[in-house]
Amino acid sequence: MIPLKNDTLLRALKREPTEYTPVWLMRQAGRYLPEYNATRARAGSFMKLCTDPALATEVTLQPMARFPLDAAILFAPVGALVPAALRAVHKGGRVVCGGIHMSDIPQFPYRLLWEERQIQSVANLTRQDAVEFLQFAPRAGVRTTTTVYPLDRANEALADLRAGRFQGAAVLVP
């Protein structure tokens, strides 16, 4: 296991004070990186990339080598990764399954749960959750920045994303 170098995101998730707001990236967000595409080509298939713990870890950490991120979160709705994740966490650790859909988790030996390891699923947000959040966001001081691109300028939007020419989110519209 790689030693933890930055616990800012973990402290924020525990509602502990942090020096700054942590920034994290889900593995999928790195798919535009050339190193991701090289690793995927080496894997031979997306399924192999997701189900091989070493390859999945490699592509998860690639964006962190380029950007000043505080964490990377592996997202792969592949149930076969749950036993591998349980093997990787320290005693008392938790594997969180948060996909909208996940393939079945295969049978695994009880020893993978031993030493107080946990598996937890988290509920996905409902439309009502989003409505309530959007009503609350202005009162909480949430400020969003959105750059709008017409759909026919999608390549420009990607180039701007790669070059860091905007902050916040980019939205493609018809």
Side-chain angles (χ1 to χ4, degrees), residues 22-141:
V23 178
W24 59 274
L25 183 74
M26 289 180 68
R27 191 242 342 126
Q28 288 182 313
R31 284 196 264 191
Y32 67 89
L33 297 175
E35 54 265 40
Y36 170 89
N37 291 310
T39 305
R40 179 164 180 202
R42 197 172 76 241
S45 72
F46 181 71
M47 201 61 186
K48 173 72 173 163
L49 184 68
C50 291
T51 57
D52 181 305
L55 293 170
T57 300
E58 181 181 335
V59 295
T60 298
L61 297 176
Q62 287 171 344
M64 294 188 73
R66 284 180 171 250
F67 307 108
L69 302 170
D70 296 295
I73 297 175
L74 176 67
F75 172 82
V78 180
L81 289 178
V82 173
L86 282 170
R87 281 185 198 93
V89 298
H90 293 289
K91 59 183 174 183
R94 179 179 301 164
V95 173
V96 178
C97 304
I100 294 170
H101 169 77
M102 178 179 276
S103 62
D104 290 343
I105 298 170
Q107 183 176 354
F108 58 88
Y110 178 72
R111 67 180 163 69
L112 294 180
L113 284 176
W114 190 250
E115 296 180 317
E116 299 178 355
R117 290 180 182 90
Q118 300 174 20
I119 300 174
Q120 180 177 347
S121 68
V122 293
N124 294 299
L125 297 178
T126 65
R127 288 181 188 264
Q128 186 58 37
D129 292 331
V131 167
E132 291 171 10
F133 173 76
L134 291 173
Q135 292 169 348
F136 171 76
R139 295 190 311 261

